[in-house]
Amino acid sequence: MIDTQGNGLVFLLCVPRSGSSLSTVMLQNHSRIFATQEMWFLMNLVDLSKADSRAYGGSSIIRQFYQAMVSEDVFEKACRSFALEIYNGFLEGSGADFIVDKSPRYYYMLEWLDRLFPQSRRIHLQRNPLSVAASFKKVNHHTGEKFDLIQSLNSSKLNMKAIDLTLGLTRLNDYFAEAHPCAYELKYEQLVMRPQEELEKLCTFLGISYEQGMERYGQFVHSTKADMFYSMGVGDPFLSSHQEAHQGSVNNWKNILKRQEVELYCRVLGANLFHRMGYSEQLQAAEQWTGVHFQAEPDQEVLERLGKQLAVATECRWQPNYRMNALMVGSHNRSPIQRSSEGQESAKIDPALEAVATIRQLQAALRAADQRLERGYTERERLKKQLDSAQSKLHRIKSWIPFGHQISAWASQRKIVRGGKS
């Protein structure tokens, strides 16, 4: 079970489109790990006091309540208790004692994570920024959503994808700038090239033994855990079409991004970020392709504009260059949960609790699938109404065509009478 300090809790931290779905679908195959698709609920908790407009009113009262009546300590304690109920509810009867919260955009609240669960483990998932941008473009094209990299970076309005690709990346790299016993760096490219080796090292970091075949996620596709994972319908839409990791997306950014997109994006990020992340070769390839030598420092004007847009929209205030809490160093060199004998401990799992946990997971998978079907039905009905409306307009226009011919003939005759003058 997760304790109040966060022992047993693992945060997979990255920006969207970094390969977090692939990492999670592998991790969930370990018997001691519970991992599912994106949770995001901690972001909702941290913004709880920023009451949005509700049909029943009271937004200003709610804000005043939190600001005047609830201290910061009490608020954090209440949020921690709520989160523990959620996390431990997932673990109850599952046989697992680690839970992985894979929620891209948790860079939004790193300071709060450190205060809420200071002893939690953090996995920093890295991927070549150009591949991340290419993945955004590829996935959005697949889903029919509009995404224009140049327009997003230059927009005068908040665009969270632009925040992910710039401020999110830089913030996470600041956060993990120094080595920390509770932090681990995982590179997407290495994971897809050497999945077993990388998972063995990751399991060592968590203090558990690697379990044979956990990287071959296609073999677990009919498990209860997999049912819950895929029923959420978020993350990588192409994941289920593969049985195991492949290298097809490692260096395909040239096939997806245009030269102008690469040039602008690299200029905004600056060369130093690529070097810090370990992608100097990829930056060099981008320079050769575009014919541009990129400056070391980022485009501060663009970053400041994006930062102001985010602050206005969310009211969030980040500590500049915030790094993982140094006060935690020295007290967490062991695994959060130790077992004297994993085999003996597994045998002690209450079969009744295990059955209840399985039922809960299947019920959650069914609810999620049901909601996706309902959304699909609603979207189909909306499109049907649009089609009916378009057809109705088309019929009205067609009904005018005979009259239109008469007008055209009349206009031609009048032009002839006037000697060709219109």
Side-chain angles (χ1 to χ4, degrees), residues 86-113:
I86 297 293
Y87 289 136
N88 288 324
F90 283 132
L91 289 179
E92 187 177 359
S94 68
D97 40 31
F98 287 86
I99 189 163
V100 175
D101 186 342
K102 165 261 204 201
S103 298
R105 290 185 181 155
Y106 270 8
Y107 64 79
Y108 177 75
M109 53 177 196
L110 295 174
E111 297 90 341
W112 205 63
L113 283 184

Side-chain angles (χ1 to χ4, degrees), residues 22 26 127 138 188-189 191-195 215 217 236 238-252:
L22 177 67
M26 294 180 180
R127 187 180 185 183
K138 177 183 176 182
Y188 169 84
E189 293 81 4
L191 180 65
V192 299
M193 288 189 287
R194 301 181 296 273
E215 71 278 4
Y217 52 87
D236 186 355
F238 305 107
L239 185 65
S240 59
S241 61
H242 302 284
Q243 299 294 305
E244 55 187 281
H246 65 92
Q247 302 176 32
S249 298
V250 171
N251 287 311
N252 69 340

